[in-house]
Amino acid sequence: MGELSSLQREAIRQALALPLDVLRITTPLVLQNYDVYRDMIGDESMPLLANPIQVWDQVTFSYIYVPPHVEYDLDIATFKLIAECDWEPEHGLEVRFCNGVADDVDQIGETGR
């Protein structure tokens, strides 16, 4: 196992500096993922949420993942919050942050980058 690259070190620094309201900030992305699944499987088993922030009642964060940036051809500091979610228990959920900003939410291993 090699040393951390400077981009990995920066990603770790950014992950540790996440604001206290990081969940509120990322709610629209996570809610979009919830809605995609709701449309796919039908709304009987996934009812509309009375308040979008309730999506967090169905998410349990597990860990922060900092990918090997060279291996993944990443040129900016990137990390992912990995979680379990009630609507996709088999594949879970990952929230990707690039340069400290959440920019993508998908099932684990499915993000576009």
Side-chain angles (χ1 to χ4, degrees):
M1 184 145 217
E3 289 187 25
L4 293 174
S5 70
S6 60
L7 282 174
Q8 284 178 300
R9 290 178 189 280
E10 177 59 19
I12 292 167
R13 190 193 66 71
Q14 291 172 4
L16 294 174
L18 284 174
L20 294 177
D21 63 347
V22 66
L23 296 185
R24 183 185 59 76
I25 292 168
T26 58
T27 296
L29 287 170
V30 174
L31 194 58
Q32 181 181 24
N33 184 271
Y34 178 89
D35 288 341
V36 165
Y37 268 81
R38 186 176 175 274
D39 290 345
M40 278 190 338
I41 68 170
D43 56 5
E44 304 81 37
S45 53
M46 290 177 66
L48 277 174
L49 301 172
N51 183 334
I53 203 74
Q54 288 176 329
V55 76
W56 295 114
D57 295 341
Q58 300 180 42
V59 176
T60 304
F61 283 103
S62 302
Y63 59 93
I64 295 172
Y65 172 66
V66 178
H69 284 57
V70 173
E71 181 179 326
Y72 286 88
D73 198 26
L74 298 173
D75 54 359
I76 58 174
T78 302
F79 67 91
K80 298 175 182 182
L81 294 182
I82 306 297
E84 296 176 17
C85 66
D86 292 349
W87 63 91
E88 179 50 295
E90 184 177 344
H91 296 106
L93 189 72
E94 64 182 34
V95 182
R96 184 182 70 191
F97 287 75
C98 293
N99 277 340
V101 177
D103 74 338
D104 192 31
V105 173
D106 211 334
Q107 275 39 71
I108 295 171
E110 299 294 324
T111 51
R113 217 175 165 163

